[in-house]
Amino acid sequence: MIDVILMLFGEAVMFFGALGILRFPDVYTRLHAATKCDTGGAMSIILALILIMDAPGVVRAKFLVLAFLIAMINPMVSHAIARGAYKYGVKPKVVVDMYAWDNP
Amino acid sequence: MSRVPFYLKERLGTLRERVLREEWEASKLPSWERLVLTWAVLMAFWVVVSGSFIINNLALGALVTLIIAAFMRDLLTEDIRRSGNIIEKLLYFAFIYLPQYLVIMAFRLLESNLKVAKNVIFMDINPGIVKIKTDLHSDTGLTILANSITLTPGTLTLDVKKKLDETYLYVHWIDLETLNREKAGEKIKGDIEEWLKKVFW
Amino acid sequence: MAQESLLVSAFYLLVFTAMLITYRVVRGPTLPDRLVALNAITTKVVVIIAVVSVIRSEYYLVDLAIVLLMVNAVGGLILAKYMERRASYD
């Protein structure tokens, strides 16, 4: 029961992340959608897979390592891309920009 | 004429930095504990990824990870500051701190997914970039704090600015509520920083 | 059985989601947009490989997923560094 709920939740979150990448207006808000929805959806789908499959414990531990690596690597690449985009010259559509005050 | 005060200020800055650095160096873990911690982590990774329990495989893994841990013992555990026995430290970390962090981050991640879904449907965004101050100084602690801020609802870390004894983070916030630095830091960091200050410096 | 149909439906929905994001890769206005979309597609491909390895019960495919994730991380970091450098050269 729990695995079905986790799997459906992960699929819904992945779908909303894709819609967010399509609909949001600039790079930084698209990064919000991509990072959070991909991390949450992938981790919940992998937890559902661990509950569903019948395999020895080492294989389940390997899936857990995969989930841990996704949770560590995805936000790191995300803020590398955000900083690179700001230095590249993409202006954010924001109300207040304190980063531009300090680095003119 | 105006050079002298700048010069004095620079000297004072280097002196203060040296005093702080010596304090931090004095409270490090001893080197064999760092070696053992790194070896344990690498050995666990080896066993999980190779996936076989033959005695030859385990011996080869122990040898290789011992050599790697002897070189790389500063990379993973340089920033952990905690006094006490090593068994006590490991027990505290495995049974109190890590489950606390996992529970906090699981509920934050669930909330942030629901919030992104709400923002996608209604498109009620009001973004802004704010600057907040943190009390952490180490690289590992700052990395984990920035990753946790990225996974909490509505925020994304842009850049880190490290000065001598104060660190600032620039955060892209998807619905701007306040511009005050203390209130924004309170709302963004939450209780993750309190947790991180117990383990790292 | 019910769980296998659940896994197969998850596979098709993930492929459909990856094809939705391909629009942003083709038609992104700037380079960082394309990079974000490619990163999201690669994470979805990692999850697709995990799902396929559970469907066919060939568990060595998970090693492939871990390696693909690490390569994606290194590639993303290198492209982000490239964007910073190029801004300073112009």
Side-chain angles (χ1 to χ4, degrees), chain B residues 17 19 38 60 110 144 170 177 182:
Chain B
E17 186 173 9
V19 171
T38 315
L60 180 66
L110 183 65
I144 298 178
Y170 296 94
E177 294 174 19
E182 280 79 19

Side-chain angles (χ1 to χ4, degrees), chain B residues 4 17 52 54 62-63 72 74 84 91 101 118 122 124 126 128 152 155 161 176 180 184:
Chain B
V4 179
E17 186 173 9
S52 68
I54 314 167
L63 185 65
M72 293 287 177
D74 292 340
L91 285 182
Y101 180 72
K118 193 200 82 175
F122 295 111
D124 48 350
N126 180 23
T152 48
T155 50
K161 187 183 199 182
L176 199 60
N180 189 1

Side-chain angles (χ1 to χ4, degrees), chain A residues 1-103:
Chain A
M1 195 59 212
I2 297 175
D3 48 356
V4 178
I5 292 175
L6 272 176
M7 180 70 91
L8 291 180
F9 176 75
E11 290 175 8
V13 164
M14 283 272 192
F15 184 70
F16 277 116
L19 273 188
I21 292 178
L22 290 187
R23 281 192 70 184
F24 276 148
D26 68 337
V27 183
Y28 307 98
T29 41
R30 275 173 207 149
L31 264 177
H32 276 274
T35 311
K36 282 164 201 154
C37 290
D38 271 357
T39 312
M43 284 182 70
S44 83
I45 287 181
I46 287 174
L47 285 183
L49 289 182
I50 290 173
L51 287 181
I52 282 176
M53 70 184 179
D54 45 351
V58 179
V59 180
R60 294 174 198 234
K62 210 179 277 187
F63 273 75
L64 270 186
V65 166
L66 182 63
F68 171 74
L69 283 178
I70 284 178
M72 281 305 284
I73 282 175
N74 227 341
M76 187 185 73
V77 177
S78 148
H79 45 250
I81 291 175
R83 188 159 171 264
Y86 204 99
K87 296 271 175 69
Y88 188 68
V90 181
K91 289 291 169 215
K93 292 174 186 163
V94 288
V95 184
V96 53
D97 191 352
M98 289 193 187
Y99 194 57
W101 296 353
D102 289 342
N103 310 327

Side-chain angles (χ1 to χ4, degrees), chain C residues 2-3 5 16 20 22 28 31 33 40 58 61 73:
Chain C
Q3 302 205 322
S5 65
F16 172 67
L20 271 184
T22 314
L31 177 61
D33 285 314
E58 292 170 354
L61 287 174

